[in-house]
Amino acid sequence: MNDHLIHNLKISILWRLLFNIITIGLIIYLFNTVKRIEWYTWLILLIYPMYLTIKEQKILLEIGVNGDQISLISYSILGGRKELKLKTSEIIELDHFKGFVVKYKNSFGKNTDTFQINAEPWNNIYGQIKILKLAVQQLENKNS
């Protein structure tokens, strides 16, 4: 399907983790020369930014629009492959701010999911996003 996107995500996360380890290691080393830092502080300062780097990475693999049903298939390192099924009437807002943002309502209230678009410009993801936006606009026009 879109396995090359998952491969690209893993490579980009690996490079970010390597950059974070080197940068934070240098900062800790410089602070350690001024005042001694305990080992558990080192551990926290190294692991927490790495966790944030891995946690926030969720890429959009595919969007399916079938009448009133919309399915968003995504992949993250910690969560694996997930599918979010929505009705067109549940979508509140679609936006391209720091990725592809989908705001929707469900039984627990309003939720926001942010997906990175880790695809080439010629990939079909952009066409699927356009089809999704048109479907939501058509629903809004019907309701108004």
Side-chain angles (χ1 to χ4, degrees), residues 97-131:
F97 181 74
K98 291 187 179 181
F100 183 62
V101 180
V102 178
K103 294 182 182 178
Y104 60 95
K105 57 186 173 187
N106 61 6
S107 59
F108 300 116
K110 181 179 157 186
N111 288 346
T112 303
D113 278 343
T114 304
F115 304 100
Q116 283 191 346
I117 303 172
N118 194 15
E120 301 86 4
W122 57 86
N123 197 311
N124 61 356
I125 294 282
Y126 294 102
Q128 293 172 353
I129 289 172
K130 185 188 254 184
I131 291 169

Side-chain angles (χ1 to χ4, degrees), residues 17-126:
L17 288 176
L18 188 63
F19 177 76
N20 284 347
I21 288 172
I22 291 171
T23 305
I24 294 171
L26 286 173
I27 291 170
I28 290 173
Y29 176 76
L30 293 175
F31 279 119
N32 204 21
T33 57
V34 175
K35 184 179 177 190
R36 184 87 174 131
I37 298 175
E38 296 295 325
W39 67 270
Y40 52 85
T41 308
W42 276 70
L43 192 63
I44 291 170
L45 290 175
L46 281 174
I47 291 180
Y48 187 68
M50 288 183 219
Y51 168 73
L52 288 179
T53 301
I54 292 173
K55 179 184 161 232
E56 294 176 358
Q57 301 293 324
K58 186 173 15 173
I59 60 169
L60 187 61
L61 295 177
E62 188 175 343
I63 299 173
V65 178
N66 188 6
D68 191 33
Q69 285 287 88
I70 295 169
S71 67
L72 301 167
I73 300 173
S74 64
Y75 178 83
S76 67
I77 297 292
L78 295 180
R81 207 178 281 254
K82 289 188 179 178
E83 183 174 5
L84 176 65
K85 291 187 178 185
L86 299 171
K87 292 183 179 174
T88 312
S89 59
E90 294 175 341
I91 294 179
I92 299 171
E93 183 181 349
L94 300 172
D95 195 13
H96 276 289
F97 181 74
K98 291 187 179 181
F100 183 62
V101 180
V102 178
K103 294 182 182 178
Y104 60 95
K105 57 186 173 187
N106 61 6
S107 59
F108 300 116
K110 181 179 157 186
N111 288 346
T112 303
D113 278 343
T114 304
F115 304 100
Q116 283 191 346
I117 303 172
N118 194 15
E120 301 86 4
W122 57 86
N123 197 311
N124 61 356
I125 294 282
Y126 294 102

